[in-house]
Amino acid sequence: MTGYPVEAINLRRLFGDFIAVDSINLSVKQGEVFGFLGPNGAGKTTTVKMLCGLLLPTSGSATVAGFDIATQPDDVKRSIGYMSQKFSLYSDLSVSENIDFFGNIYGIANSRLKERKREIIRLTGLEGSENTITSALSVGWKQRLALGCSVIHEPKILFLDEPTAGVDPDSRRMFWDLIYDLAQKGMTMFVTTHYMDEAENCTRLGFIYNGKMVASGTPLEIKRSRMKGTIIELDTDSPSDALGLIREMSVIDEVSFFGRLIHAVTSVSSDGVRQTMDDISRLLQQHGIPVTRINTIPPSLEDIFISLIQQEDNRAAS
Ligand SMILES: Nc1ncnc2c1ncn2[C@@H]1O[C@H](COP(=O)(O)OP(=O)(O)OP(=O)(O)O)[C@@H](O)[C@H]1O
Ligand SMILES: [Mg+2]
């Protein structure tokens, strides 16, 4: 026993000879909001399923709530809540009936269930909507109710697999308030997402790509340790043409779109950055693309992850 609510050592999962999760290590502390990030197909759901005792690892090991995921999966399942990526409520049942349904699945006695239902209605902010048919709720409220149902049995650890995919920004913010509420009460939260604004607010992060953990730590640690070089941000009227031109410059290591802006990473020394910015402006000017703004910026998590992905792709291609 390590004392970590979630700990994985060299966890690996193959499907045939395809490596979906490649020897990842991670540990999550109690009451932490651990953000597990990665693009589509990175291996997030496969990892979560293993940690929830739903899928056996091919090799490696993990403990969740002190139980071994491979040899004690039923104890694991009893100790955790899991809001799966496809989690669905019964849309033709009312809010109250959905809570009852999940309470019954977890075998919660009726007297206790009544109390838990009141607590969950309060937690999710669904007071007054107890008898509303679930299909009439907005996506944001449905997600809150789903989270409420997944903690009906008061688990110590909650796994949420992309709980906010496709949810509008306001509802996402409200949903995250709920996540923090629960973490503050001591529940350990393991959340997968690909929204960077959500990642910025996690206690710690793990970033998975092609099944490999390519970075982990607090958002600040990751920014400090993983960003190589300086980011130059620029705005032009022809971003696609500008991107192509900048990519050809020998002093530029990476370049990508950031919304309609361009981020170019250079590893020239800090004294040389001014010169590089002038060179970019001149090059674009020569091609009839005026630069309306150019400056250096501190890296965001998104910059770092784009950079890590490019580094991994380059490694894989070489
Ligand atoms: N049962 C399976 N059989 C074969 N391949 C699978 C299986 N489950 C997942 N995979 C593959 O493993 C890889 C990782 O999938 P996974 O669902 O874990 O990714 P993810 O990070 O959750 O992606 P998303 O963001 O799209 O949900 C993908 O290439 C997927 O196609
Ligand atoms: Mg997934």
Side-chain angles (χ1 to χ4, degrees), residues 125-174:
L126 279 159
E127 292 104 334
S129 301
E130 289 85 343
N131 298 318
T132 303
I133 295 298
T134 302
S135 60
L137 297 176
S138 70
V139 179
W141 285 109
K142 276 184 199 151
Q143 288 304 83
R144 289 168 73 83
L145 175 59
L147 185 147
C149 290
S150 62
V151 297
I152 184 100
H153 55 305
E154 301 175 84
K156 295 192 174 69
I157 307 164
L158 180 61
F159 289 88
L160 299 143
D161 195 1
E162 292 198 37
T164 54
V167 178
D168 66 88
D170 276 348
S171 306
R172 285 208 284 129
R173 219 161 296 140
M174 275 172 65

Side-chain angles (χ1 to χ4, degrees), residues 11-16 18-23 46 50 55-59:
L11 198 63
R12 198 160 195 261
R13 173 68 205 209
L14 273 66
F15 293 111
F18 174 75
I19 307 170
V21 174
D22 196 356
S23 305
T46 306
M50 287 192 278
L55 183 71
L56 276 173
T58 308
S59 60

Side-chain angles (χ1 to χ4, degrees), residues 17-31:
D17 51 14
F18 174 75
I19 307 170
V21 174
D22 196 356
S23 305
I24 65 165
N25 292 291
L26 59 86
S27 52
V28 184
K29 295 181 194 133
Q30 202 228 320

Side-chain angles (χ1 to χ4, degrees), residues 99 116-125 148-149 151-152:
I99 298 174
R116 277 302 287 153
K117 181 152 53 180
R118 266 198 304 274
E119 287 165 6
I120 282 163
I121 295 279
R122 203 177 325 118
L123 174 79
T124 53
C149 290
V151 297
I152 184 100

Side-chain angles (χ1 to χ4, degrees), residues 11 13 15 18-22 24 26 34-52 55 82-85 159-163 165 190-196 198 206-213 309:
L11 198 63
R13 173 68 205 209
F15 293 111
F18 174 75
I19 307 170
V21 174
D22 196 356
I24 65 165
L26 59 86
F34 182 82
F36 196 43
L37 272 104
N40 288 339
K44 301 181 298 294
T45 298
T46 306
T47 304
V48 167
K49 281 186 182 164
M50 287 192 278
L51 294 175
C52 291
L55 183 71
Y82 173 42
M83 187 168 150
S84 77
Q85 201 168 358
F159 289 88
L160 299 143
D161 195 1
E162 292 198 37
F190 189 110
V191 191
T192 82
T193 180
H194 42 223
Y195 289 114
M196 293 297 158
E198 297 183 348
F207 184 63
I208 185 174
Y209 183 59
N210 283 347
K212 293 193 184 71
M213 194 79 120
I309 285 176

